Amino acid sequence: MSTLSADALNTLCACSTVPRDSLRAELDRASGETGFYDGAIATRPHLFSESAVFLSQSHLDGIVALVGAVEAVTALPAYRDAIRQWMPAIATHEFGPLGAFLGYDFHLTSDGPRLIEINTNPGGALLNASLARAHRACCPVLEPYVPSANTQTPEDLFVEMFRNEWRRQRGDARLEHVAIIDESPSSQFLEPEFRLFAHLFAQHGMVAAIVDSRELDWHENRLWYARDPIDLVYNRLTDFALEENENIRDAYLAGSIVLTPHPRAHALYADKRNLTLLSNPAQLRAWGVPAEQVAILQAGIPPTRRVERGDADALWAERRQLFFKPATGYGSKASYRGDKLTRGVWEQILRGEYVAQAQVAPSVRRISSAPDVLLKLDVRAYVYAGHLQLLAARLYQGQTTNFRTPGGGFAPVYVLPDDMPLPDVVSGCPTD
């Protein structure tokens, strides 16, 4: 099967692989709460798609190679010196932890995966771990490729990741109290995942609380929630430089908490200005990056440049081929397709700190509930310390991923071998 065959299967096979009863049972089990699905997930009807996404082994190999190349370059002293020009001062502090979870987001093309962005606090990891266990193959020929448990479940990998973050700063000290923090966590769309993490931490002997970041107190050289001193903070804030959370900033700078992910991780990976370096082959060669890695990065990252007023006329003329993103943005907020820009929005972009990235059209997926509609898709690789932990996809309509599309949402991923004959698959799979 060619690398186009998985894409063709996404287009042709209008199958449903996520039985809601199975998903309900799996999430109730993972949360430790009877009725968790009905209370927390059913009110978010477009959080999970009914359909899986097909990925070729070649595309997976390309994702792994690109992650490895990015990790190699971001470790270079020359790269770290270069990003100091836009790194916030707090990100110059290094306490040992790498930063829990990186989300590498890809669009799939006939020439391989294209890295659109990297995020340091990507949501969905635990939700997708449950989703992968709940779905079923829609036809016998695909049964061998249903994502199955490895020797370690994703949850095992995630717990070990947090313990490793702890050990990198605290050694063999006991990890007892964990705070999962966000701004008004009860109102966040992915609040159900916070509850999954709290239960997971508790299963492994930790006291875990879901906390509004403003409810934490800093005194006696400790960070406190109510009467409990906090040891580790799982940070879901989008205040990446902790500019609006003085208590957490003070505790972090004093080294009294293990914070993960942290400002340094965001500065190293997720600031979108970094893509202007990672997609620049001349700069990479000047740093001595091996030719093979330069080729991987050049092929896998769309050309990206900073938006500067001196280039305004040229960028406006090219806007239909560009996607504009705020340098420290997240979740596609204030991001714009160039062909949708108005002059008023363009002026706001020029006044801000933006990058312009060559547009890469997402591939598409047909679903059973609306077989005449093709939803867009992207693939997220959850990565820690350069290692792939979990793959998931997101299905959507519109300019960006939004979790508002009927039939859309998170989707599990089948990885299919490149030599699987496509006709054999389609003949066994319902396509209407």
Side-chain angles (χ1 to χ4, degrees):
M1 169 169 128
S2 72
T3 56
L4 284 174
S5 296
D7 183 62
L9 192 56
N10 284 325
T11 303
L12 294 171
C13 183
C15 56
S16 175
T17 65
V18 184
R20 291 289 156 170
D21 288 346
S22 296
L23 185 58
R24 177 183 288 106
E26 174 57 37
L27 283 166
D28 282 2
R29 183 204 62 77
S31 66
E33 300 177 33
T34 302
F36 175 82
Y37 179 94
D38 291 331
I41 306 300
T43 56
R44 295 163 170 82
H46 310 311
L47 177 59
F48 294 112
S49 176
E50 65 196 26
S51 301
V53 163
F54 303 106
L55 184 73
S56 71
Q57 182 63 51
S58 294
H59 275 98
L60 176 57
D61 293 344
I63 287 172
V64 171
L66 193 51
V67 168
V70 169
E71 292 285 339
V73 172
T74 56
L76 293 176
Y79 170 85
R80 298 188 174 200
D81 287 343
I83 66 172
R84 283 182 179 272
Q85 60 186 301
W86 51 69
M87 179 187 287
I90 194 171
T92 62
H93 296 271
E94 186 170 10
F95 296 97
L98 302 174
F101 289 125
L102 290 175
Y104 284 73
D105 292 343
F106 295 89
H107 285 177
L108 306 179
T109 78
S110 58
D111 295 320
R114 298 292 182 266
L115 178 64
I116 303 304
E117 62 186 37
I118 305 172
N119 296 288
T120 46
N121 60 354
L126 270 186
L127 293 167
N128 280 299
S130 290
L131 178 64
R133 283 192 292 271
H135 82 109
R136 303 291 182 265
C138 60
C139 51
V141 72
L142 292 176
E143 191 68 43
Y145 308 105
V146 171
S148 58
N150 299 315
T151 53
Q152 285 185 296
T153 66
E155 288 87 350
D156 290 336
L157 294 173
F158 301 157
V159 170
E160 177 55 28
M161 171 183 65
F162 283 104
R163 290 198 181 280
N164 190 58
E165 291 289 274
W166 173 256
R167 287 192 296 267
R168 290 180 66 90
Q169 187 168 345
R170 291 287 190 264
D172 294 330
R174 182 176 173 81
L175 171 56
E176 295 183 335
H177 292 91
V178 176
I180 303 160
I181 69 165
D182 204 343
E183 181 180 341
S184 303
S186 62
S187 67
Q188 297 295 331
F189 182 73
L190 292 184
E191 182 271 346
E193 184 172 56
F194 301 164
R195 290 157 63 183
L196 292 177
F197 270 110
H199 182 63
L200 181 63
F201 288 131
Q203 286 181 303
H204 288 81
M206 301 168 229
V207 177
I210 301 166
V211 181
D212 188 315
S213 59
R214 294 164 294 190
E215 296 177 341
L216 293 166
D217 293 319
W218 165 245
H219 60 85
E220 300 175 7
N221 205 39
R222 294 296 302 268
L223 191 68
W224 299 80
Y225 175 61
R227 296 182 178 181
D228 289 330
I230 299 302
D231 300 319
L232 182 144
V233 172
Y234 175 26
N235 177 20
R236 295 290 289 258
L237 290 167
T238 54
D239 175 20
F240 302 113
L242 303 179
E243 295 174 333
E244 300 170 6
N245 287 272
E246 183 178 357
N247 50 357
I248 301 168
R249 183 179 68 246
D250 289 346
Y252 173 64
L253 291 176
S256 74
I257 55 168
V258 174
L259 178 71
T260 186
H262 45 68
R264 185 170 180 80
H266 184 271
L268 287 173
Y269 292 98
D271 190 306
K272 293 174 182 61
R273 287 166 291 197
N274 300 351
L275 296 173
T276 67
L277 304 174
L278 293 169
S279 66
N280 184 334
Q283 180 64 81
L284 296 171
R285 285 191 290 268
W287 289 340
V289 176
E292 180 182 0
Q293 291 179 355
V294 173
I296 290 169
L297 292 165
Q298 185 175 8
I301 302 180
T304 307
R305 51 183 159 158
R306 295 178 72 180
V307 173
E308 297 177 337
R309 191 169 287 275
D311 297 329
D313 291 343
L315 288 168
W316 179 259
E318 299 172 33
R319 69 191 184 280
R320 290 179 177 83
Q321 289 76 49
L322 299 173
F323 204 98
F324 296 89
K325 302 178 180 181
T328 59
Y330 62 94
S332 302
K333 294 182 182 296
S335 296
Y336 305 97
R337 272 177 45 180
D339 56 352
K340 304 292 186 181
L341 281 182
T342 65
R343 281 288 186 177
V345 171
W346 178 235
E347 184 56 36
Q348 293 175 25
I349 289 173
L350 292 175
R351 289 198 299 267
E353 184 64 55
Y354 270 74
V355 300
Q357 185 179 71
Q359 280 199 39
V360 177
S363 54
V364 294
R365 179 73 173 99
R366 190 180 301 277
I367 60 172
S368 60
S369 62
D372 294 332
V373 177
L374 293 175
L375 300 187
K376 299 174 183 177
L377 74 88
D378 62 25
V379 171
R380 169 167 287 176
Y382 294 91
V383 172
Y384 178 66
H387 297 288
L388 179 64
Q389 298 171 305
L390 183 69
L391 279 177
R394 298 177 294 182
L395 302 179
Y396 61 98
Q397 284 181 318
Q399 180 170 290
T400 57
T401 309
N402 50 43
F403 294 104
R404 293 193 296 269
T405 301
F410 285 125
V413 175
Y414 288 72
V415 178
L416 304 180
D418 291 344
D419 58 357
M420 175 186 283
L422 177 60
D424 291 351
V425 176
V426 175
S427 66
C429 184
T431 58
D432 54 22

